[in-house]
């Protein structure tokens, strides 16, 4: 280990970084002959073949969408590399035919016959595109995410992919960052549930099943903490924040069985994650006992040179590999340099064998050794699109992802008959901007646009006028006049505005998270007609809403909802579905408040409750500290009331279980679906604690006029935090607790935790 690496290790409180010996082989379930087979193979492999097992590429002759063109290779080279054992697998190479051909070459013509692994960015669907991952977190139903991940795996494995470069489990608290939409929101607890659910969904009941995909929690680590919300930027996080906030979703994904992890592009405290031994070996291997392999992000090893961390590509390969990045994506650096690095003794052969062993073991667990051609010689996968079961699931998931923020004087739901509706905005018509980033593969199920969904719901009642009014980021000549005329002639306006799908995703950070000016102007003009306005917000992030958008009578957050966007929106607008989504990210009052998240620290000068203007307190001169719409917030068509919050005891010991009960009553006329949330905050501890932290939630259905009792349990383990020694700890003390409909409300109680 270099002196530099030692420095990192001690920064993270990790004394030693080691690589395991052959004696510490990964366990299998059940113990089997596979390990012996792997060892026998390793014994026969040349250093070049070993490096080949650690080299992954995108498809030849293809400009891979969603990635820069780097390390681009032609088909001849690709075939030759497969034949020579210089490739472990390919990613995003859609189509069965090509995969079958290459796999046959790998197993029949390469010297050792080691099968390839085919991976893909299956992020929120394959043929049937589901809501973007963050949208789906709004459902607060991890089981739903498990089902959509399962469906995606069924479709992607039918195209020969057995490995997904997902789920993204990066906590994101800065709405400027473009990739928040691919992830799990701002909260650690919620993120952990979704991370684990998606891994279970992708991997299925057993990794060797023909329709199971190896899951890859990414991007390890703290990629979502990019400074200024700027993609690829350094993440300035303390070790405590890293351990308390950014690492737990990865841990949850690994505990759920994920056997590959992707290292991130970013640096933390001067050390690029792809070459950070304290993270990749210290945390992953030594602490968490992770048995799978680590794959770099796309050319992330090569980028160590641009980071100014490695002097040249050879050094970059060495740094990344020795830190614990087992597989190199796209750069080709491992193939180019590892054999020589081993020959010179700069990289021990044992480390090379260790990485190869991990990769072969995972291939073995996927059943690739036993059945390398399985799934590759079936009917063309395109024939399997338009699966009615998955389309129904897409509609269910989409409508459960919609969050209603506002519904003044019960404007919604609209009656289907007798209402003249003007549907206005750049997203009113058509099938672009429905799916969001990572909708890469051919043969997708056709999406349903907003206009189509509304028309289908209205049927013969239809009185729908559609006007674009504005482009996404520029005015449309005559657009506002036409929109105003349509609004004047209508009873109600549905204003489909917001961000296009190109405005979020990788490398799509925004410095201003507001509505593009052209659309703001459109909203102002339409609002000036005095007609009631429902905003249908298309968005890939929390946005700062202002003026006519903020003041609209009703607001529905509709994100990018996937193939069933139009139908799902119609379901909610006309009341066939009662919106039940809750925000997985806070919506700030103004763009200048970001990064904004509810679980912030108090400071020594918190703003006094009820006196937000007090000077010498933690506050802006021009905005309060409250969110416009807080994390956890969302309303449905039936109002609910919380009361009778009772604790089983007001003192608990470290070994006790505290039971918390609350009565939730539906005071409306329709069935309610309510997400009842449990938060706690420790008043004083040896390390300061956030003002609130989510500790549990339950989604319950309540009949009109009925009440339900919701019960939570809390143990000391739920009250853990990272102590001064950087280890999880629980400290006796006083706690506040809330049972709440959002992070900024609820009924408060108090309890004391004692040692015994
Ligand atoms: C870069 C992205 O950061 C990562 O998430 C993705 O899996 C790779 N490109 C491969 O497409």
């Amino acid at each position: 280990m270099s002196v530099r690496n030692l420095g990192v290790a001690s920064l993270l409180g990790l004394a030693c970084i080691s690589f395991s010996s052959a004696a510490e082989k990964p366990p299998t379930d059940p113990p089997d002959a596979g390990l012996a087979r792997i060892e026998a193979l390793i014994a026969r492999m040349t250093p070049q073949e070993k490096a080949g097992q650690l080299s992954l590429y995108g498809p030849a002759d293809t400009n891979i969408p969603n990635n820069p063109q780097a390390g681009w290779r032609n088909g001849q080279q690709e075939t030759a590399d497969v034949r020579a054992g210089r490739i472990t697998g390919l990613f995003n190479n859609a189509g069965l035919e090509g995969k079958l051909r290459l796999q046959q070459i790998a197993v029949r013509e390469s010297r050792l016959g080691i099968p390839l692994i085919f991976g893909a960015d299956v992020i929120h669907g394959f043929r049937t595109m589901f809501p973007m991952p963050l949208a789906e977190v709004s459902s607060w139903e991890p089981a739903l995410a498990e089902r959509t991940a399962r469906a995606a795996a069924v479709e992607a494995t039918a195209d020969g992919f057995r490995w997904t470069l997902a789920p993204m489990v990066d906590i994101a608290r800065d709405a400027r960052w473009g990739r928040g939409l691919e992830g799990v929101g701002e909260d650690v607890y919620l993120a952990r549930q979704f991370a684990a659910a998606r891994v279970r969904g992708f991997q299925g009941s057993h990794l060797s099943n023909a329709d199971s995909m190896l899951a890859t929690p990414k991007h390890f680590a703290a990629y979502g903490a990019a400074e200024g919300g700027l993609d690829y930027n350094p993440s300035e996080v303390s070790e405590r924040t890293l351990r308390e906030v950014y690492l737990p979703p990865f841990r949850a994904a690994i505990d759920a069985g994920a056997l590959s992890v992707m290292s991130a592009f970013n640096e933390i405290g001067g050390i690029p994650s792809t070459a950070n031994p304290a993270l990749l070996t210290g945390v992953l291997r030594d602490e968490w006992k992770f048995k799978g392999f680590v794959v770099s992000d796309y050319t992330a090893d090569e980028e160590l040179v641009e980071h100014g961390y490695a002097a040249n590509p050879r050094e970059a390969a060495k740094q990344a590999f020795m830190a614990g990045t087992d597989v190199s994506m796209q750069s080709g650096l491992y193939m180019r340099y590892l054999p020589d690095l081993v020959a010179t003794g700069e990289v021990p052969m044992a480390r090379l064998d260790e990485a190869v062993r991990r990769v072969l073991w995972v291939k073995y667990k996927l059943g690739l050794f036993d059945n390398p051609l399985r799934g590759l010689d079936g009917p063309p996968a395109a024939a399997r699109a338009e699966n009615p079961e998955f389309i129904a699931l897409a509609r269910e998931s989409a409508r459960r992802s919609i969050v209603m923020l506002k519904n003044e004087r019960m404007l919604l739901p609209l009656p289907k008959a007798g209402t003249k509706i003007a549907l206005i905005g750049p997203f009113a018509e058509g099938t672009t901007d429905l799916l969001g980033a990572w909708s890469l593969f051919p043969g997708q199920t056709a999406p349903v646009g907003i206009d189509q969904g509304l028309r289908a719901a209205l049927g013969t009642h239809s009185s729908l006028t559609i006007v674009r009014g504005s482009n996404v980021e520029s005015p449309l000549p005559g657009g506002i006049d036409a929109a105003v005329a349509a609004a004047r002639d209508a009873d109600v306006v549905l204003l489909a505005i917001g961000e296009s799908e190109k405005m979020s995703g990788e490398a799509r950070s925004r410095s201003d998270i507001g509505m593009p000016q052209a659309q703001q102007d459109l909203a102002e003009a339409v609002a000036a007609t005095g007609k009631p306005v429902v905003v249908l917000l298309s968005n890939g992030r929390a946005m700062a809403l202002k003026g006519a958008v903020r003041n609209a009578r009703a607001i529905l957050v509709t994100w990018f909802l996937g193939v069933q966007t139009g139908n799902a929106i119609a379901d909610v607008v006309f009341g066939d579905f009662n919106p039940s989504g809750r925000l997985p990210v806070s919506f700030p009052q103004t763009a200048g408040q970001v990064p904004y998240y509810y679980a912030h620290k108090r400071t020594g000068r918190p703003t006094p409750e009820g006196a937000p203007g007090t000077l010498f307190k933690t506050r802006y001169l021009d905005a309060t500290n409250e969110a416009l719409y807080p994390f956890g917030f969302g309303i449905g068509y039936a109002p609910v009331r919380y009361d009778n919050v009772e604790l089983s005891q007001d003192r608990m010991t470290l070994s006790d279980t505290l039971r918390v009960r609350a009565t939730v009553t539906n005071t409306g006329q329709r069935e309610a679906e309510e997400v009842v949330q449990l938060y706690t905050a420790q008043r004083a501890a040896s390390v300061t604690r956030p003002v609130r932290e989510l500790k549990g939630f339950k989604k319950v259905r309540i009949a009109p006029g009925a009440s339900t009792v919701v019960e939570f349990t809390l143990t000391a383990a739920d009250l853990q935090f990272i102590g001064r020694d950087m280890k999880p700890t629980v400290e006796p003390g006083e706690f506040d607790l809330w049972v709440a409909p959002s992070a900024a409300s609820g009924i408060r109680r108090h309890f004391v935790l004692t040692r015994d």
Side-chain angles (χ1 to χ4, degrees), residues 64-68 91-92 120-121 123 165-166 168 179 182 218-219 223 231-232 262-263 265 296-298 329 438 440 506:
I64 306 170
N66 288 67
N67 281 304
F91 67 97
N92 291 349
D121 285 294
I123 311 293
L165 306 178
M168 184 176 117
R179 299 196 76 173
E182 296 174 39
K218 65 186 189 183
H219 306 80
Y223 177 47
D231 211 358
Y232 316 122
M262 189 185 294
S263 72
F265 287 128
S296 78
D297 202 340
Y298 192 93
M329 187 198 293
W438 297 115
L440 298 181
E506 187 177 345

Side-chain angles (χ1 to χ4, degrees), residues 40 81 94 239 349 353 414 451:
D81 284 346
E239 180 178 355
M349 183 65 91
D353 288 351
L414 301 180
D451 55 325

Side-chain angles (χ1 to χ4, degrees), residues 16 33 41 52 66 120 141-142 239 256 268 350 430 443 459 478 506 510 584 636 642 655 724:
C16 105
L41 265 178
N66 288 67
E141 291 181 48
E239 180 178 355
I268 306 173
E506 187 177 345
R510 294 183 68 200
Y642 286 54
S655 55
R724 291 199 186 182

Side-chain angles (χ1 to χ4, degrees), residues 628-686:
L628 179 62
Y629 292 106
F631 172 84
F633 181 79
I635 53 176
Y637 290 141
V640 291
R641 192 184 67 231
Y642 286 54
D643 46 26
N644 301 332
V645 174
E646 289 166 7
L647 275 51
S648 56
Q649 65 241 56
D650 55 14
R651 299 181 82 77
M652 73 182 275
T653 67
L654 292 178
S655 55
D656 279 348
T657 298
L658 181 71
R659 285 196 320 283
V660 183
R661 291 157 65 98
T663 306
V664 185
T665 304
N666 177 353
T667 58
Q669 313 293 317
R670 302 180 45 132
E671 187 184 69
E673 256 191 291
E674 178 68 4
V675 180
V676 184
Q677 300 157 42
L678 177 74
Y679 296 89
T680 64
Q682 185 159 11
R683 289 188 183 172
S686 61

